[in-house]
Coordinates of all heavy atoms in Angstrom, one line a residue:
M1 N 66.3 100.9 123.0 CA 67.3 100.2 122.2 C 67.5 101.2 121.0 O 66.6 101.5 120.3 CB 66.8 98.9 121.7 CG 67.7 98.3 120.7 SD 67.0 96.9 119.7 CE 66.9 95.6 120.9
P2 N 68.8 101.5 120.8 CA 69.1 102.4 119.6 C 68.9 101.7 118.3 O 69.0 100.5 118.2 CB 70.5 102.8 119.8 CG 71.1 101.9 120.8 CD 70.0 101.3 121.6
L3 N 68.6 102.4 117.3 CA 68.5 101.9 115.9 C 69.9 101.5 115.4 O 70.8 102.3 115.5 CB 67.8 102.8 115.0 CG 66.4 103.2 115.3 CD1 65.9 104.2 114.3 CD2 65.5 101.9 115.2
T4 N 70.0 100.4 114.7 CA 71.3 100.1 114.1 C 71.3 100.8 112.8 O 70.3 101.4 112.3 CB 71.3 98.6 113.7 OG1 70.3 98.2 112.8 CG2 71.1 97.7 115.0
H5 N 72.5 100.9 112.2 CA 72.6 101.6 110.9 C 71.7 100.9 109.8 O 71.2 101.5 108.9 CB 74.0 101.8 110.4 CG 74.7 100.5 109.9 ND1 75.3 99.6 110.8 CD2 74.9 100.0 108.7 CE1 75.8 98.6 110.0 NE2 75.6 98.9 108.8
Q6 N 71.5 99.6 109.9 CA 70.6 98.9 109.0 C 69.2 99.4 109.1 O 68.5 99.7 108.1 CB 70.6 97.4 109.2 CG 72.0 96.7 108.8 CD 72.3 96.8 107.3 OE1 71.4 97.2 106.5 NE2 73.4 96.4 107.0
H7 N 68.7 99.6 110.4 CA 67.4 100.1 110.6 C 67.3 101.6 110.1 O 66.3 102.0 109.5 CB 67.0 100.1 112.1 CG 66.8 98.7 112.6 ND1 67.6 98.2 113.7 CD2 66.0 97.7 112.3 CE1 67.2 97.0 113.9 NE2 66.2 96.7 113.1
Q8 N 68.3 102.3 110.3 CA 68.4 103.7 109.9 C 68.3 103.8 108.3 O 67.6 104.6 107.8 CB 69.6 104.4 110.4 CG 69.6 104.7 111.9 CD 70.9 105.1 112.4 OE1 72.0 104.9 111.8 NE2 70.9 105.7 113.6
L9 N 69.0 102.9 107.7 CA 69.0 102.9 106.2 C 67.6 102.5 105.7 O 67.1 103.0 104.7 CB 70.1 101.9 105.7 CG 71.5 102.4 105.7 CD1 72.5 101.3 105.4 CD2 71.7 103.6 104.8
T10 N 67.0 101.5 106.4 CA 65.6 101.1 106.0 C 64.6 102.2 106.1 O 63.8 102.5 105.2 CB 65.2 99.9 106.9 OG1 66.1 98.8 106.7 CG2 63.8 99.5 106.5
I11 N 64.7 103.0 107.2 CA 63.8 104.1 107.4 C 64.1 105.2 106.3 O 63.2 105.7 105.7 CB 64.0 104.7 108.8 CG1 63.5 103.7 109.9 CG2 63.3 106.1 108.9 CD1 63.9 104.1 111.3
L12 N 65.4 105.4 106.1 CA 65.7 106.4 105.0 C 65.2 106.0 103.7 O 64.6 106.8 103.0 CB 67.3 106.6 105.0 CG 67.8 107.5 104.0 CD1 67.3 109.0 104.3 CD2 69.4 107.5 104.0
A13 N 65.4 104.8 103.3 CA 64.9 104.3 102.0 C 63.4 104.3 102.0 O 62.8 104.7 100.9 CB 65.4 102.8 101.8
D14 N 62.7 104.0 103.1 CA 61.2 104.1 103.1 C 60.7 105.5 102.9 O 59.8 105.7 102.1 CB 60.7 103.5 104.4 CG 60.8 102.0 104.6 OD1 61.0 101.4 103.6 OD2 60.6 101.5 105.7
I15 N 61.3 106.5 103.5 CA 60.8 107.8 103.4 C 61.1 108.3 101.9 O 60.2 108.9 101.3 CB 61.5 108.8 104.4 CG1 61.1 108.4 105.8 CG2 61.2 110.2 104.1 CD1 61.9 109.1 106.9
L16 N 62.3 108.0 101.4 CA 62.6 108.4 100.0 C 61.7 107.7 99.0 O 61.3 108.3 98.0 CB 64.1 108.2 99.7 CG 65.1 109.0 100.6 CD1 66.5 108.6 100.2 CD2 64.9 110.5 100.3
T17 N 61.4 106.5 99.3 CA 60.5 105.7 98.4 C 59.1 106.4 98.4 O 58.5 106.5 97.4 CB 60.4 104.2 98.8 OG1 61.7 103.7 98.7 CG2 59.4 103.5 98.0
N18 N 58.6 106.7 99.6 CA 57.3 107.4 99.7 C 57.3 108.7 98.9 O 56.4 109.1 98.2 CB 56.9 107.6 101.1 CG 56.5 106.4 101.8 OD1 56.2 105.4 101.2 ND2 56.6 106.4 103.2
H19 N 58.4 109.5 99.0 CA 58.5 110.7 98.3 C 58.5 110.5 96.8 O 57.8 111.2 96.0 CB 59.8 111.5 98.6 CG 59.8 112.2 99.9 ND1 60.6 113.3 100.2 CD2 59.0 112.0 101.0 CE1 60.3 113.7 101.4 NE2 59.4 113.0 101.9
Q20 N 59.1 109.4 96.4 CA 59.2 109.1 95.0 C 57.8 108.6 94.5 O 57.3 109.1 93.4 CB 60.3 108.0 94.7 CG 60.3 107.7 93.2 CD 61.1 106.4 93.0 OE1 61.4 105.6 93.9 NE2 61.5 106.2 91.8
T21 N 57.3 107.6 95.1 CA 56.0 107.0 94.6 C 54.8 107.9 94.8 O 53.9 107.9 93.9 CB 55.8 105.6 95.2 OG1 55.7 105.8 96.7 CG2 56.9 104.6 94.9
D22 N 54.7 108.6 95.9 CA 53.6 109.4 96.2 C 53.7 110.8 95.6 O 52.8 111.6 95.5 CB 53.3 109.5 97.7 CG 53.0 108.2 98.3 OD1 52.7 107.3 97.6 OD2 53.1 108.1 99.6
C23 N 55.0 111.2 95.3 CA 55.3 112.5 94.8 C 54.8 113.5 95.8 O 54.2 114.6 95.4 CB 54.8 112.8 93.4 SG 55.9 114.0 92.6
A24 N 54.9 113.2 97.1 CA 54.5 114.1 98.2 C 55.3 113.8 99.4 O 56.0 112.8 99.5 CB 53.0 113.8 98.5
G25 N 55.3 114.8 100.3 CA 56.1 114.6 101.6 C 55.8 115.8 102.4 O 55.1 116.8 102.1
T26 N 56.5 115.8 103.6 CA 56.3 116.9 104.5 C 57.7 117.5 104.9 O 58.7 116.8 104.8 CB 55.6 116.5 105.8 OG1 56.4 115.5 106.5 CG2 54.2 115.8 105.5
A27 N 57.6 118.7 105.5 CA 58.9 119.3 106.0 C 59.5 118.4 107.1 O 60.7 118.3 107.2 CB 58.6 120.7 106.4
S28 N 58.6 117.9 107.9 CA 59.1 117.0 109.1 C 59.8 115.8 108.6 O 60.8 115.3 109.1 CB 58.0 116.7 110.1 OG 57.0 116.0 109.5
E29 N 59.3 115.2 107.5 CA 60.0 114.1 106.9 C 61.3 114.5 106.4 O 62.3 113.7 106.5 CB 59.1 113.5 105.7 CG 57.9 112.7 106.1 CD 57.0 112.3 105.0 OE1 57.1 112.9 103.9 OE2 56.3 111.4 105.2
C30 N 61.4 115.6 105.7 CA 62.7 116.1 105.3 C 63.7 116.3 106.4 O 64.8 116.0 106.3 CB 62.5 117.4 104.5 SG 61.7 117.2 102.9
E31 N 63.2 116.8 107.5 CA 64.0 117.0 108.7 C 64.5 115.7 109.3 O 65.6 115.5 109.7 CB 63.2 117.8 109.8 CG 63.0 119.3 109.4 CD 62.0 120.0 110.2 OE1 61.4 119.3 111.1 OE2 61.8 121.2 110.0
Q32 N 63.6 114.7 109.2 CA 64.0 113.3 109.7 C 65.0 112.7 108.8 O 66.0 112.1 109.3 CB 62.8 112.4 109.8 CG 63.1 111.1 110.3 CD 61.9 110.1 110.5 OE1 60.8 110.4 110.0 NE2 62.1 109.0 111.1
V33 N 64.9 112.9 107.5 CA 65.9 112.4 106.5 C 67.2 113.1 106.8 O 68.3 112.5 106.8 CB 65.4 112.7 105.1 CG1 66.6 112.5 104.1 CG2 64.3 111.7 104.8
Q34 N 67.2 114.4 107.1 CA 68.4 115.1 107.3 C 69.1 114.6 108.6 O 70.3 114.4 108.6 CB 68.1 116.6 107.5 CG 69.3 117.5 107.5 CD 68.9 119.0 107.5 OE1 67.7 119.3 107.7 NE2 69.8 119.8 107.4
R35 N 68.3 114.3 109.7 CA 68.9 113.8 110.9 C 69.5 112.4 110.6 O 70.6 112.1 111.1 CB 67.9 113.7 112.0 CG 67.5 115.0 112.6 CD 66.6 114.9 113.8 NE 65.4 114.2 113.6 CZ 64.2 114.8 113.2 NH1 64.2 116.1 112.9 NH2 63.1 114.1 113.0
L36 N 68.8 111.6 109.9 CA 69.3 110.2 109.6 C 70.6 110.3 108.8 O 71.5 109.5 109.0 CB 68.3 109.4 108.8 CG 67.1 108.8 109.6 CD1 66.0 108.3 108.7 CD2 67.6 107.8 110.5
T37 N 70.7 111.1 107.8 CA 71.9 111.2 107.0 C 73.1 111.7 107.8 O 74.2 111.1 107.6 CB 71.7 112.1 105.7 OG1 71.3 113.4 106.2 CG2 70.7 111.6 104.7
K38 N 72.9 112.6 108.7 CA 73.9 113.0 109.6 C 74.5 111.9 110.4 O 75.7 111.7 110.6 CB 73.5 114.2 110.4 CG 73.4 115.5 109.7 CD 73.0 116.6 110.5 CE 72.8 117.9 109.7 NZ 72.5 119.1 110.4
L39 N 73.5 111.1 111.0 CA 74.0 110.0 111.8 C 74.7 108.9 111.0 O 75.7 108.4 111.4 CB 72.7 109.3 112.4 CG 72.1 110.0 113.6 CD1 70.8 109.3 114.0 CD2 73.0 110.0 114.8
L40 N 74.2 108.6 109.8 CA 74.8 107.6 108.9 C 76.1 108.0 108.4 O 77.0 107.1 108.3 CB 73.8 107.3 107.8 CG 72.6 106.5 108.2 CD1 71.6 106.5 107.0 CD2 72.9 105.1 108.5
K41 N 76.3 109.3 108.2 CA 77.7 109.7 107.7 C 78.7 109.5 108.7 O 79.9 109.3 108.4 CB 77.6 111.2 107.3 CG 76.9 111.4 106.0 CD 77.0 112.8 105.5 CE 77.0 113.9 106.5 NZ 77.0 115.3 105.9
Q42 N 78.4 109.4 110.0 CA 79.3 109.2 111.1 C 79.6 107.8 111.3 O 80.6 107.4 112.0 CB 78.8 109.9 112.4 CG 78.6 111.4 112.3 CD 77.9 111.9 113.5 OE1 77.6 111.2 114.5 NE2 77.6 113.2 113.5
N43 N 78.8 106.9 110.8 CA 79.0 105.4 111.0 C 80.0 104.8 110.1 O 79.9 105.0 108.9 CB 77.6 104.8 110.8 CG 77.6 103.4 111.3 OD1 78.5 102.6 111.0 ND2 76.6 103.0 112.0
Q44 N 81.0 104.1 110.7 CA 82.1 103.5 109.9 C 81.6 102.2 109.2 O 82.3 101.7 108.3 CB 83.2 103.2 110.8 CG 83.9 104.4 111.5 CD 84.4 105.4 110.5 OE1 85.0 105.1 109.5 NE2 84.1 106.7 110.8
G45 N 80.4 101.7 109.6 CA 80.0 100.4 109.0 C 79.2 100.6 107.7 O 78.7 99.7 107.1
I46 N 79.0 101.9 107.2 CA 78.3 102.1 106.0 C 79.1 102.0 104.8 O 80.3 102.4 104.8 CB 77.7 103.6 106.1 CG1 76.9 103.8 107.3 CG2 77.0 104.0 104.8 CD1 75.6 103.0 107.4
A47 N 78.6 101.3 103.8 CA 79.3 101.1 102.5 C 79.7 102.5 101.9 O 78.9 103.4 102.0 CB 78.4 100.4 101.5
P48 N 80.9 102.6 101.3 CA 81.4 103.8 100.7 C 80.4 104.4 99.7 O 80.3 105.6 99.5 CB 82.7 103.5 100.1 CG 83.2 102.2 100.8 CD 81.9 101.5 101.3
E49 N 79.7 103.5 99.0 CA 78.8 103.9 97.9 C 77.6 104.6 98.5 O 77.1 105.6 97.9 CB 78.3 102.7 97.1 CG 79.4 102.0 96.3 CD 80.3 101.0 97.1 OE1 80.0 100.8 98.3 OE2 81.2 100.5 96.6
I50 N 77.2 104.2 99.7 CA 76.1 104.9 100.3 C 76.6 106.2 100.9 O 75.9 107.2 100.8 CB 75.5 104.0 101.4 CG1 74.8 102.8 100.8 CG2 74.5 104.8 102.3 CD1 74.2 101.8 101.8
K51 N 77.8 106.2 101.5 CA 78.3 107.5 102.0 C 78.4 108.6 100.9 O 78.2 109.7 101.2 CB 79.6 107.3 102.7 CG 79.5 106.6 104.0 CD 80.8 106.7 104.8 CE 80.5 106.2 106.2 NZ 81.5 106.6 107.2
Q52 N 78.7 108.1 99.7 CA 78.8 109.1 98.6 C 77.4 109.8 98.3 O 77.4 111.0 98.0 CB 79.3 108.4 97.3 CG 80.7 108.0 97.4 CD 81.1 107.2 96.1 OE1 80.3 106.9 95.3 NE2 82.4 106.8 96.0
I53 N 76.3 109.1 98.5 CA 75.1 109.7 98.2 C 74.4 110.4 99.4 O 73.5 111.2 99.2 CB 74.1 108.7 97.6 CG1 73.7 107.6 98.6 CG2 74.6 108.1 96.3 CD1 72.5 106.7 98.2
L54 N 74.9 110.1 100.6 CA 74.4 110.7 101.8 C 74.5 112.3 101.7 O 73.6 113.0 102.2 CB 75.0 110.2 103.1 CG 74.6 108.7 103.4 CD1 75.4 108.3 104.6 CD2 73.1 108.6 103.6
E55 N 75.5 112.8 101.2 CA 75.7 114.3 101.1 C 74.6 114.8 100.2 O 74.0 115.8 100.5 CB 77.0 114.6 100.5 CG 78.2 114.4 101.4 CD 78.2 115.4 102.6 OE1 77.7 116.6 102.4 OE2 78.7 115.1 103.6
Q56 N 74.3 114.1 99.1 CA 73.2 114.6 98.1 C 71.9 114.5 98.8 O 71.0 115.4 98.7 CB 73.2 113.7 96.9 CG 74.5 113.8 96.1 CD 74.6 112.7 95.0 OE1 73.6 112.0 94.7 NE2 75.7 112.5 94.4
I57 N 71.6 113.4 99.5 CA 70.3 113.2 100.2 C 70.2 114.3 101.3 O 69.1 114.8 101.5 CB 70.2 111.8 100.8 CG1 70.2 110.8 99.7 CG2 69.0 111.7 101.7 CD1 70.3 109.3 100.2
E58 N 71.3 114.6 102.0 CA 71.2 115.6 103.1 C 70.9 117.0 102.5 O 70.1 117.7 103.0 CB 72.5 115.7 103.9 CG 72.4 116.6 105.0 CD 73.7 116.6 105.9 OE1 74.7 115.9 105.5 OE2 73.7 117.3 106.9
E59 N 71.5 117.3 101.3 CA 71.2 118.5 100.7 C 69.7 118.6 100.2 O 69.1 119.6 100.4 CB 72.1 118.7 99.5 CG 71.9 120.0 98.6 CD 72.1 121.3 99.4 OE1 73.0 121.3 100.3 OE2 71.5 122.3 99.1
Y60 N 69.3 117.5 99.6 CA 67.9 117.4 99.2 C 66.9 117.6 100.4 O 66.0 118.4 100.3 CB 67.6 116.0 98.6 CG 66.2 115.6 98.5 CD1 65.3 116.1 97.5 CD2 65.6 114.7 99.5 CE1 64.0 115.7 97.4 CE2 64.3 114.3 99.4 CZ 63.5 114.9 98.4 OH 62.2 114.5 98.3
S61 N 67.2 117.0 101.5 CA 66.3 117.1 102.6 C 66.4 118.5 103.3 O 65.4 119.0 103.7 CB 66.5 116.0 103.7 OG 67.9 116.1 104.2
S62 N 67.6 119.0 103.4 CA 67.8 120.3 104.0 C 67.0 121.4 103.2 O 66.3 122.2 103.7 CB 69.3 120.7 104.0 OG 69.5 122.0 104.5
T63 N 67.2 121.3 101.9 CA 66.5 122.3 101.0 C 65.0 122.1 101.0 O 64.2 123.0 101.1 CB 67.0 122.2 99.5 OG1 68.4 122.3 99.5 CG2 66.4 123.2 98.6
G64 N 64.6 120.8 101.0 CA 63.2 120.4 101.0 C 62.4 120.9 102.3 O 61.3 121.3 102.2
A65 N 63.1 120.8 103.4 CA 62.5 121.2 104.7 C 62.1 122.7 104.7 O 61.2 123.2 105.4 CB 63.4 120.9 105.8
Q66 N 62.8 123.5 103.8 CA 62.6 124.9 103.8 C 61.7 125.4 102.6 O 61.5 126.6 102.5 CB 63.9 125.7 103.8 CG 64.8 125.3 105.0 CD 66.2 125.9 104.8 OE1 66.4 126.8 104.1 NE2 67.1 125.3 105.5
Q67 N 61.3 124.5 101.8 CA 60.6 124.8 100.6 C 59.1 125.2 100.9 O 58.5 124.6 101.7 CB 60.6 123.7 99.6 CG 61.9 123.3 99.0 CD 62.3 124.4 98.0 OE1 61.6 124.9 97.2 NE2 63.6 124.9 98.2
V68 N 58.7 126.3 100.2 CA 57.3 126.6 100.3 C 56.5 125.6 99.4 O 55.4 125.2 99.8 CB 57.0 128.1 99.8 CG1 55.6 128.4 99.7 CG2 57.8 129.0 100.7
D69 N 57.1 125.2 98.2 CA 56.4 124.3 97.3 C 57.2 123.0 97.3 O 58.0 122.7 96.4 CB 56.4 124.9 95.9 CG 55.6 124.1 94.9 OD1 55.1 123.0 95.3 OD2 55.6 124.5 93.8
L70 N 57.0 122.2 98.4 CA 57.7 120.9 98.6 C 57.4 120.0 97.4 O 58.2 119.2 97.0 CB 57.4 120.3 99.9 CG 58.1 119.1 100.3 CD1 59.6 119.2 100.2 CD2 57.7 118.6 101.7
L71 N 56.2 120.0 96.9 CA 55.8 119.1 95.8 C 56.7 119.3 94.6 O 57.2 118.4 94.0 CB 54.3 119.3 95.5 CG 53.8 118.6 94.2 CD1 53.9 117.1 94.4 CD2 52.4 119.0 93.9
N72 N 56.9 120.6 94.3 CA 57.8 120.9 93.1 C 59.2 120.4 93.4 O 59.9 119.8 92.5 CB 57.8 122.4 92.8 CG 58.6 122.7 91.6 OD1 58.4 122.1 90.5 ND2 59.5 123.6 91.8
H73 N 59.7 120.6 94.6 CA 61.0 120.1 95.0 C 61.1 118.6 94.8 O 62.1 118.1 94.3 CB 61.3 120.5 96.5 CG 62.6 120.1 97.0 ND1 63.8 120.6 96.6 CD2 62.9 119.1 97.9 CE1 64.8 120.1 97.2 NE2 64.3 119.1 98.0
I74 N 60.1 117.9 95.3 CA 60.1 116.4 95.2 C 60.1 116.0 93.7 O 60.8 115.1 93.3 CB 59.0 115.8 96.0 CG1 59.2 116.0 97.5 CG2 58.8 114.3 95.7 CD1 58.1 115.6 98.4
E75 N 59.2 116.6 92.9 CA 59.1 116.3 91.5 C 60.4 116.5 90.8 O 60.8 115.7 89.9 CB 58.0 117.2 90.9 CG 56.6 116.7 91.2 CD 55.5 117.6 90.7 OE1 55.8 118.7 90.1 OE2 54.3 117.3 90.7
T76 N 61.1 117.6 91.1 CA 62.4 117.9 90.5 C 63.4 116.8 90.8 O 64.3 116.6 89.9 CB 62.9 119.3 91.0 OG1 61.9 120.3 90.7 CG2 64.2 119.7 90.3
H77 N 63.3 116.2 91.9 CA 64.3 115.2 92.3 C 63.9 113.8 92.1 O 64.6 112.9 92.6 CB 64.7 115.5 93.8 CG 65.5 116.7 94.0 ND1 64.9 117.9 94.2 CD2 66.8 116.9 94.1 CE1 65.9 118.8 94.4 NE2 67.1 118.2 94.3
Q78 N 62.9 113.5 91.3 CA 62.4 112.2 91.1 C 63.5 111.2 90.6 O 63.6 110.1 91.1 CB 61.2 112.2 90.1 CG 59.9 112.6 90.7 CD 59.4 111.6 91.7 OE1 59.3 110.4 91.5 NE2 59.2 112.2 92.9
P79 N 64.3 111.6 89.6 CA 65.4 110.7 89.1 C 66.4 110.4 90.2 O 66.9 109.3 90.4 CB 66.1 111.5 88.0 CG 65.1 112.5 87.5 CD 64.3 112.8 88.8
N80 N 66.7 111.4 91.0 CA 67.7 111.2 92.1 C 67.1 110.3 93.2 O 67.8 109.4 93.7 CB 68.0 112.6 92.8 CG 68.8 113.5 91.9 OD1 69.3 113.1 90.8 ND2 68.8 114.7 92.2
L81 N 65.8 110.5 93.5 CA 65.2 109.7 94.5 C 65.2 108.2 94.2 O 65.6 107.3 95.0 CB 63.7 110.1 94.8 CG 63.5 111.4 95.4 CD1 62.1 111.9 95.2 CD2 63.8 111.4 96.9
S82 N 64.9 107.9 92.9 CA 65.0 106.5 92.4 C 66.4 106.0 92.5 O 66.5 104.8 93.0 CB 64.5 106.5 91.0 OG 64.6 105.3 90.4
Q83 N 67.4 106.7 92.1 CA 68.7 106.2 92.2 C 69.2 106.0 93.6 O 69.9 105.1 94.0 CB 69.7 107.2 91.5 CG 71.1 106.8 91.5 CD 72.0 107.8 90.8 OE1 71.6 108.8 90.3 NE2 73.3 107.5 90.7
W84 N 68.9 107.0 94.5 CA 69.3 106.9 95.9 C 68.7 105.6 96.6 O 69.4 104.9 97.3 CB 68.9 108.1 96.7 CG 69.6 109.4 96.2 CD1 70.8 109.5 95.6 CD2 69.0 110.7 96.4 NE1 71.0 110.8 95.4 CE2 70.0 111.6 95.8 CE3 67.9 111.2 96.9 CZ2 69.8 113.0 95.8 CZ3 67.7 112.6 96.9 CH2 68.7 113.5 96.3
V85 N 67.4 105.4 96.4 CA 66.7 104.2 97.0 C 67.3 103.0 96.4 O 67.6 102.0 97.2 CB 65.2 104.3 96.7 CG1 64.5 103.0 97.1 CG2 64.6 105.4 97.5
E86 N 67.6 102.9 95.1 CA 68.2 101.7 94.5 C 69.6 101.5 95.1 O 69.9 100.3 95.4 CB 68.3 101.9 93.0 CG 68.8 100.7 92.2 CD 68.9 101.0 90.8 OE1 67.9 101.5 90.2 OE2 69.9 100.7 90.2
T87 N 70.4 102.5 95.3 CA 71.7 102.3 95.9 C 71.6 101.8 97.3 O 72.3 100.9 97.7 CB 72.5 103.6 95.8 OG1 72.6 104.0 94.5 CG2 73.9 103.5 96.4
I88 N 70.8 102.4 98.1 CA 70.6 102.0 99.5 C 70.1 100.6 99.6 O 70.7 99.8 100.3 CB 69.6 102.9 100.2 CG1 70.2 104.3 100.4 CG2 69.2 102.4 101.6 CD1 69.2 105.4 100.9
N89 N 69.1 100.2 98.8 CA 68.6 98.8 98.8 C 69.7 97.8 98.4 O 69.7 96.7 98.9 CB 67.4 98.7 98.0 CG 66.2 99.4 98.6 OD1 66.1 99.6 99.8 ND2 65.2 99.8 97.8
H90 N 70.5 98.2 97.4 CA 71.5 97.3 96.9 C 72.6 97.0 98.0 O 73.1 95.9 98.1 CB 72.2 97.9 95.7 CG 73.3 97.1 95.1 ND1 73.0 95.9 94.4 CD2 74.6 97.1 95.1 CE1 74.1 95.3 94.0 NE2 75.1 96.1 94.4
Y91 N 72.9 98.0 98.8 CA 74.0 97.8 99.8 C 73.6 97.5 101.2 O 74.4 97.5 102.1 CB 74.9 99.1 99.8 CG 75.8 99.1 98.5 CD1 75.4 99.9 97.5 CD2 76.9 98.3 98.4 CE1 76.2 100.0 96.3 CE2 77.7 98.4 97.2 CZ 77.3 99.2 96.2 OH 78.0 99.2 95.0
Q92 N 72.3 97.3 101.4 CA 71.8 97.0 102.7 C 72.1 95.6 103.1 O 72.0 94.7 102.4 CB 70.3 97.3 102.8 CG 70.0 98.6 103.4 CD 68.5 98.7 103.7 OE1 67.8 97.7 103.8 NE2 68.1 99.9 103.9

C-alpha cells in the first residue's frame, strides 16, 4: 500500500523534528527527506504553504547529504527546521 501524502508529511516532519531536537542526523536521512520532498512537490493535494517550503527543505537535505560535517549543517539550520516543522504540522 503506497503512503498517502499525509503519511509522507508525517514522516518528513518526524525526521526534521529529530534533526532539530537531537541536533544530529545521517546522510541517509537527508536522502530520504530529499526523496519525500520531490514526491510531495508533485502532489496536487498539498497546501500551497507547504509547497513553498518544500524547495527549502529539499535544498537543506540535498546539501546535508553531501556534508562532511552534518552536525554543523543541522546546527546552522535550527531556526529553519523549527519553522518548517511548525508549518507542516499546522497544515496537516
Side-chain angles (χ1 to χ4, degrees):
M1 172 198 286
L3 293 176
T4 66
H5 73 274
Q6 292 293 354
H7 291 122
Q8 292 169 339
L9 286 171
T10 300
I11 292 168
L12 180 61
D14 286 348
I15 294 170
L16 295 175
T17 297
N18 287 342
H19 281 205
Q20 180 195 15
T21 57
D22 300 341
C23 208
T26 65
S28 62
E29 287 174 339
C30 290
E31 291 167 354
Q32 183 178 12
V33 167
Q34 192 174 9
R35 287 189 301 272
L36 283 169
T37 56
K38 286 181 181 184
L39 285 172
L40 288 165
K41 287 188 325 185
Q42 297 171 2
N43 190 311
Q44 299 302 316
I46 301 296
E49 294 80 4
I50 293 176
K51 284 197 174 194
Q52 290 175 354
I53 65 168
L54 288 175
E55 288 291 331
Q56 297 169 12
I57 296 171
E58 187 176 5
E59 176 66 28
Y60 161 79
S61 61
S62 173
T63 305
Q66 301 172 23
Q67 290 292 311
V68 174
D69 187 0
L70 184 55
L71 174 61
N72 183 54
H73 178 72
I74 293 171
E75 287 176 349
T76 302
H77 288 85
Q78 284 296 306
N80 296 343
L81 290 165
S82 176
Q83 182 181 3
W84 295 335
V85 169
E86 185 178 312
T87 300
I88 292 168
N89 288 338
H90 181 75
Y91 288 98
Q92 262 191 16

